[in-house]
Amino acid sequence: MSWLSKLLWSGEQRPPRTWAEWMSEARSHSGYVREAAVQALALSGHGDALPILLERANDWVPKVRHAAYAAVEGFLDEEHIGAWARALGQVAALRRMARADHTRLLQRIEDFLSTPAHLSALKIAQRDMPRSAARLLLSLELRAAGDEEARYGVLRSAVLSSDIVVASEAAAATETL
């Protein structure tokens, strides 16, 4: 047992042993516990940890935030694209957070997700996404559209969306073509 584990989980408490316990500890009141949990979740490589890691990227403790940044960057890999589809709502939430400057991390995430193969995988999962994630997906598609014809195709499908905000943004954007 490491000195940190001894310090944090002395007495009746014991260090988490399972992945689910680490997920719970990532929301602990203690910054030390959250940092240890973020590092453990990063090492696990489990896709379900990505939303919590994105949440911790806006943590009020800088060490936790930096550990979460490193963990999230570890998920910028082809094998985790399914996890990104489930975590797109948290990416949209991180765009709205202002506790720290997340520009560099968000840029890396958006560059990763904006490739044609990744966008098509995200589009498949769009039906189960929250509305904020679908709106982020539209902005990623528009960003990735190389020419006016591709941009028109994206906007045309977005105008037919059941999300009124997406449809109205797409209708307004078609006027700029």
Side-chain angles (χ1 to χ4, degrees), residues 34-53:
R34 286 194 313 277
E35 182 181 5
V38 164
Q39 291 170 349
L41 291 173
L43 291 174
S44 77
H46 201 290
D48 288 339
L50 186 57
I52 290 176
L53 294 173

Side-chain angles (χ1 to χ4, degrees), residues 1 34 47 60 68 72 98 112 118 158:
M1 183 178 271
R34 286 194 313 277
W60 55 91
V72 167
F112 171 73
H118 297 159

Side-chain angles (χ1 to χ4, degrees):
M1 183 178 271
S2 74
W3 67 270
L4 182 60
S5 295
K6 287 178 186 177
L7 176 67
L8 294 177
W9 290 284
S10 59
E12 297 177 15
Q13 294 182 330
R14 61 169 180 75
R17 298 183 199 275
T18 66
W19 179 82
E21 289 175 350
W22 280 119
M23 293 280 284
S24 175
E25 292 295 324
R27 292 191 171 115
S28 169
H29 294 290
S30 168
Y32 296 111
V33 174
R34 286 194 313 277
E35 182 181 5
V38 164
Q39 291 170 349
L41 291 173
L43 291 174
S44 77
H46 201 290
D48 288 339
L50 186 57
I52 290 176
L53 294 173
L54 286 164
E55 182 181 308
R56 294 286 52 97
N58 194 50
D59 200 277
W60 55 91
V61 177
K63 286 189 174 190
V64 176
R65 195 168 47 241
H66 294 301
Y69 277 25
V72 167
E73 288 185 2
F75 279 87
L76 294 174
D77 194 329
E78 298 285 329
E79 71 181 76
H80 296 294
I81 193 65
W84 283 104
R86 294 186 304 275
L88 208 55
Q90 281 75 18
V91 175
L94 189 60
R95 288 174 109 193
R96 296 186 303 269
M97 301 298 172
R99 181 168 285 132
D101 183 16
H102 307 297
T103 307
R104 189 181 64 80
L105 178 65
L106 287 169
Q107 185 66 45
R108 291 204 36 152
I109 292 169
E110 291 174 8
D111 289 345
F112 171 73
L113 295 177
S114 293
T115 63
H118 297 159
L119 282 173
S120 64
L122 294 173
K123 285 293 281 186
I124 291 169
Q126 184 176 12
R127 189 173 299 138
D128 299 327
M129 288 181 187
R131 293 196 188 279
S132 62
R135 294 169 187 164
L136 174 61
L137 183 57
L138 174 63
S139 72
L140 291 173
E141 286 181 294
L142 290 173
R143 177 181 173 197
D147 58 1
E148 291 291 317
E149 187 175 329
R151 193 170 168 78
Y152 175 75
V154 169
L155 291 173
R156 185 171 152 233
S157 66
V159 166
L160 302 174
S161 172
S162 61
D163 183 353
I164 191 73
V165 173
V166 169
S168 63
E169 285 179 5
T174 56
E175 295 176 7
T176 65
L177 293 177

